[in-house]
């Protein structure tokens, strides 16, 4: 139990929350840690805060780089890490003192490559939000195929922040840069190389949903590229499932339809035009899969109604949807 864990924290303009995050890592009951703070070109004084925190704990190492995004910072940390296992914590968030001890115990109780802890979410004011991922009632080993099924049903947790991963798995893998929903893409790649993931029930990782850091739209006219990336990732999943896990085909179709529904419910109406190739591809997909929309047992009645309506008249449905949500 003296194997080192490298905890990688990508940091960017986190002056108001970084100290709580880092102190929650320093307070871990599992002491064999190194904490890598990767300052991704902060401009608000966070860089100096990183250096101060490092002076208080010799296990903290600070690196500064030009701004390149969270994936770029994580990848730099992976290259610098010396631990046998890697963990990731976002600078907005914080963790319980026994999180890594519980995860290392699980790693040794059932030798494998990955352990997942459960999480909860709070808003800026510390108010508990509904669970995005329901924790299991007891420790559970989830085989790769079952884990993929949970992801396809939007019940699984793709975040690397809730994972402890054997460092060797990163030998051939890095986080994709320049895209969003990057955890999902990398996790799906890694899952093909392991037997499964041990999932622990205790909610030790605390996600803080800060309004200003959300990737969702901020005004009625803005449109995060996350909605394009989730569609791309759905197509990647479909290809993987049909090639390696054909028994999951119906789940992958459901996932593809649901991701396109999310896209269509968020794209600004003024971008729903003929010259928008991505939008046109989404429409064509829905038209080819009307029968799947009707018959898929894993879509709700509301999902199906929206999908069928958007397939028939996407702009009109969005206009009605916008009026219902934000009447004049």
């Amino acid at each position: 139990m003296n194997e080192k864990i490298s905890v990688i924290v990508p940091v960017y303009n986190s002056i108001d929350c970084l100290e709580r995050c880092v102190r929650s890592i320093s307070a871990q009951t599992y002491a064999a840690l190194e904490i890598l703070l990767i300052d991704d070109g902060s401009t608000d004084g966070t860089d100096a805060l990183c250096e101060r925190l490092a002076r208080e704990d010799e296990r903290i190492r600070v690196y500064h780089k030009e701004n390149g995004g969270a994936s770029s910072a994580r990848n730099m940390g992976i290259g610098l890490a010396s631990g046998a296992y890697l963990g990731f914590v976002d600078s907005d968030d914080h963790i319980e003192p026994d999180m890594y001890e519980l995860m290392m115990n699980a790693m040794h109780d059932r030798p494998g490559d990955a352990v997942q802890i459960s999480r909860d979410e709070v808003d800026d004011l510390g108010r508990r939000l509904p669970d995005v991922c329901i924790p299991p009632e007891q420790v559970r080993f989830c085989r790769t195929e079952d884990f993929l099924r949970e992801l396809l049903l939007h019940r699984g947790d793709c975040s690397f922040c809730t994972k402890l991963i054997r460092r060797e798995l990163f030998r051939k893998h890095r986080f994709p840069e320049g895209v969003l929903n990057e955890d999902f893409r990398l996790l799906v790649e890694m899952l093909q190389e392991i037997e499964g993931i041990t999932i622990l029930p205790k909610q030790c990782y605390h996600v803080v949903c800060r309004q200003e850091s959300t990737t969702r739209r901020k005004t009625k006219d803005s449109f995060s590229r996350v909605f394009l990336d989730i569609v791309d990732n759905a197509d990647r999943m479909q290809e993987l499932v049909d090639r390696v896990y054909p028994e999951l085909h119906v789940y992958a179709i459901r996932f593809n339809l649901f991701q396109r529904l999310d896209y269509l419910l968020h794209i600004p109406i003024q971008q729903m035009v003929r010259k928008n190739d991505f939008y046109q591809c989404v429409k064509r997909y829905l038209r080819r899969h009307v029968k799947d929309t009707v018959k898929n047992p894993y879509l709700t009645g509301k999902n199906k109604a929206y999908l069928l309506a958007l397939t028939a008249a996407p702009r009109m449905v969005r206009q009605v949807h916008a009026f219902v949500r934000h009447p004049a």
Side-chain angles (χ1 to χ4, degrees):
M1 290 298 290
N2 59 355
E3 293 175 289
K4 185 190 293 184
I5 299 173
S6 297
V7 183
I8 298 168
V9 184
V11 178
Y12 178 71
N13 287 357
S14 305
I15 194 73
D16 60 335
C17 56
L18 180 63
E19 187 162 356
R20 178 176 65 175
C21 170
V22 174
R23 293 198 184 284
S24 74
I25 304 171
S26 293
Q28 290 296 295
T29 55
Y30 189 89
L33 300 175
E34 67 172 0
I35 304 168
L36 306 180
L37 303 183
I38 312 298
D39 170 38
D40 191 37
S42 295
T43 59
D44 67 344
T46 298
D47 51 347
L49 175 58
C50 288
E51 297 292 347
R52 176 170 67 81
L53 293 170
R55 290 193 292 270
E56 299 176 8
D57 188 333
E58 61 183 8
R59 298 172 300 173
I60 298 175
R61 295 156 54 195
V62 179
Y63 299 90
H64 304 281
K65 61 183 289 295
E66 292 185 1
N67 181 255
S71 288
S72 173
R74 283 176 165 184
N75 288 338
M76 182 177 181
I78 292 169
L80 294 165
S82 62
Y85 300 91
L86 301 188
F88 300 87
V89 178
D90 284 345
S91 60
D92 293 355
D93 306 332
H94 57 284
I95 60 179
E96 289 296 309
D98 59 347
M99 186 177 94
Y100 284 118
E101 182 178 0
L102 290 171
M103 296 174 88
M104 282 299 288
N105 285 337
M107 191 73 77
H108 286 273
D109 289 343
R110 193 194 190 288
D113 295 300
V115 172
Q116 174 179 296
I117 201 78
S118 294
R119 77 188 203 202
D120 60 22
E121 301 195 11
V122 298
D123 65 13
D124 299 57
L125 302 178
R127 295 174 297 198
R128 180 74 180 269
L129 300 173
D131 287 330
V132 174
C133 303
I134 305 300
E137 294 183 359
Q138 57 188 9
V139 177
R140 174 193 177 199
F141 180 75
C142 191
R143 296 188 178 278
T144 289
E145 184 176 326
D146 296 327
F147 198 94
L148 286 170
R149 181 184 293 108
E150 292 300 295
L151 290 179
L152 292 171
L153 290 170
H154 288 92
R155 298 193 305 223
D157 184 358
C158 66
S159 172
F160 273 81
C161 289
T162 55
K163 312 289 190 296
L164 184 64
I165 308 285
R166 192 179 298 276
R167 181 186 173 193
E168 180 64 18
L169 274 179
F170 288 93
R171 184 173 58 85
K172 298 186 299 182
H173 297 286
R174 290 294 188 271
F175 289 93
E177 299 182 21
V179 300
L180 298 175
N181 205 218
E182 64 276 17
D183 284 31
F184 181 93
R185 185 177 300 187
L186 178 58
L187 183 63
V188 169
E189 290 180 7
M190 284 188 169
L191 281 169
Q192 300 171 62
E193 301 181 14
I194 64 177
E195 185 181 350
I197 297 179
T198 299
I199 303 176
L200 308 183
K202 187 174 180 181
Q203 292 175 296
C204 287
Y205 191 95
H206 306 301
V207 178
V208 179
C209 298
R210 298 203 300 167
Q211 186 65 33
E212 66 271 20
S213 66
T214 181
T215 57
R216 301 287 169 163
R217 77 162 75 194
K218 297 178 178 60
T219 71
K220 69 176 183 178
D221 297 323
S222 63
F223 186 48
S224 170
R225 67 161 297 150
V226 71
F227 296 107
L228 283 70
D229 291 334
I230 63 174
V231 172
D232 285 339
N233 283 343
D235 288 338
R236 289 170 180 268
M237 277 292 284
Q238 188 74 61
E239 187 278 329
L240 170 66
V241 164
D242 290 343
R243 176 169 48 86
V244 184
Y245 307 99
E247 59 279 7
L248 297 180
H249 176 80
V250 67
Y251 300 96
I253 291 292
R254 178 260 176 207
F255 188 72
N256 245 305
L257 290 167
F258 192 95
Q259 300 300 74
R260 283 165 167 79
L261 173 60
D262 204 12
Y263 167 88
L264 286 173
L265 288 177
H266 288 88
I267 181 175
I269 295 173
Q270 62 269 27
Q271 294 186 29
M272 302 172 77
V273 294
R274 185 169 298 176
K275 65 180 180 180
N276 186 333
D277 292 339
F278 196 96
Y279 166 68
Q280 294 298 328
C281 286
V282 169
K283 287 203 306 180
R284 286 194 293 271
Y285 183 95
L286 293 186
R287 288 169 182 168
R288 291 196 307 269
H289 291 86
V290 169
K291 185 180 294 186
D292 289 317
T293 298
V294 173
K295 292 187 175 182
N296 195 288
Y298 303 107
L299 289 168
T300 67
K302 184 177 181 180
N303 294 158
K304 293 179 180 182
Y306 262 109
L307 281 165
L308 293 172
L310 286 164
T311 301
R315 283 180 61 90
M316 184 179 72
V317 171
R318 278 301 313 282
Q319 289 167 345
V320 172
H321 182 260
F323 177 79
V324 170
R325 293 186 64 188
H326 306 288

